[in-house]
Amino acid sequence: MKKVFLEGAISPEFIADSIAKHQGKHSIGAHNIFLGQVRADEVGDNKVVAIEYTTYEEMANEKLHEIREAAFEKFNLTCLHIYHSLGKVGVGEICIFVFVSSPRRKQVYEATEWLVNQVKEHVPIFGKEILDNADHQWKVNS
Amino acid sequence: MITVNYFGNIAEATQSDSETLDQKSMSLEELLNLLDSKYDIRKFQFQVAVNRKIIPKQQVLTISDSDEVALLPPFAGG
């Protein structure tokens, strides 16, 4: 089982390091990366300052495994990585990192979008949006 | 024992992430009615997972000893 969940924000150093780790894989000709960043949404007179993520980890890991398997069936990929934050992630910080690699360019665009959609729709992750007045509301993917 | 896991705004309402019910067996309908009488869960939007698979709430199903039920509010990943 590949590790997906990381505590807190995903750092730029972690992302850079993930790219560097692929330099030895010489069949790869194209990478594509999606980074989701926490947005300061306005809620009435208030603003979102952070999202606190929780998950149903056993089910999420099973679902993520199915999504990975399906992606390798569907697209010609050399490798793929999905990382998602748990706990508090502040506005401007990265909460999801999807990294897709293939011999050629065309498939990586499609695969990245498909993977992000699958994670949003099917993986049990919950987000508590913390507002600047310390109140909160629960995020719902639209 | 039947384990019920709560998440998001439902965990907030139940003031707990998980509880075990001292029951050998009950129907899904009975379970949801019991939880509704305790926590008024029907006011929330949620899906039900039994042993980590989502099933329709109306499904005629017997929940047995050692089953793991979860009430899942709308997903918010990404």
Side-chain angles (χ1 to χ4, degrees):
Chain A
M1 197 70 80
K2 300 265 289 184
K3 188 176 168 57
V4 168
F5 294 106
L6 304 172
E7 194 55 38
I10 300 167
S11 71
E13 293 75 21
F14 181 87
I15 296 160
D17 201 42
S18 299
I19 298 168
K21 279 181 183 155
H22 289 75
Q23 290 179 331
K25 295 188 178 180
H26 296 166
S27 64
I28 296 173
H31 296 300
N32 196 31
I33 284 176
F34 174 82
L35 299 173
Q37 172 166 309
V38 174
R39 190 176 53 230
D41 272 346
E42 290 187 14
V43 182
D45 292 337
N46 297 104
K47 268 190 181 164
V48 171
V49 293
I51 299 179
E52 205 175 295
Y53 289 102
T54 50
T55 184
Y56 181 11
E57 197 155 356
E58 300 83 354
M59 180 179 163
N61 282 328
E62 286 182 16
K63 211 71 215 173
L64 285 157
H65 179 73
E66 285 171 27
I67 293 169
R68 283 180 59 83
E69 298 285 299
F72 279 113
E73 286 276 310
K74 210 171 156 65
F75 306 101
N76 176 26
L77 303 178
T78 310
C79 58
L80 77 88
H81 303 272
I82 301 169
Y83 297 100
H84 199 292
S85 295
L86 290 182
K88 211 169 187 177
V89 182
V91 294
E93 293 185 314
I94 303 300
C95 57
I96 181 171
F97 168 31
V98 175
F99 185 5
V100 177
S101 311
S102 170
R104 290 177 181 280
R105 170 172 51 91
K106 222 171 171 177
Q107 293 264 294
V108 294
Y109 295 114
E110 259 185 80
T112 307
E113 177 154 36
W114 185 85
L115 282 164
V116 174
N117 288 339
Q118 291 291 312
V119 171
K120 283 178 174 271
E121 281 170 35
H122 300 297
V123 181
I125 297 169
F126 312 97
K128 184 176 173 177
E129 293 180 323
I130 317 282
L131 307 181
D132 54 4
N133 65 350
D135 215 347
H136 71 266
Q137 67 173 22
W138 290 90
K139 180 176 177 252
V140 176
N141 279 346
S142 46
Chain B
M1 298 272 248
I2 295 169
T3 305
V4 190
N5 295 323
Y6 305 111
F7 298 92
N9 55 354
I10 299 179
E12 230 170 34
T14 60
Q15 297 186 312
S16 154
D17 294 337
S18 181
E19 72 177 308
T20 51
L21 303 175
D22 200 8
Q23 299 267 358
K24 281 255 172 287
S25 154
M26 68 198 298
S27 73
L28 176 61
E29 190 185 4
E30 285 168 341
L31 174 64
L32 292 177
N33 286 339
L34 171 70
L35 297 179
D36 195 46
S37 66
K38 283 173 85 170
Y39 308 116
D40 201 12
I41 55 165
R42 290 223 162 83
K43 70 179 179 209
F44 298 108
Q45 194 190 333
F46 66 90
Q47 300 185 90
V48 175
V50 177
N51 298 328
R52 300 172 298 282
K53 298 275 179 258
I54 289 172
I55 56 155
K57 277 188 229 175
Q58 298 78 13
Q59 189 164 320
V60 179
L61 181 74
T62 306
I63 311 289
S64 324
D65 206 23
S66 82
D67 275 345
E68 180 181 314
V69 178
L71 306 192
L72 308 173
F75 299 166

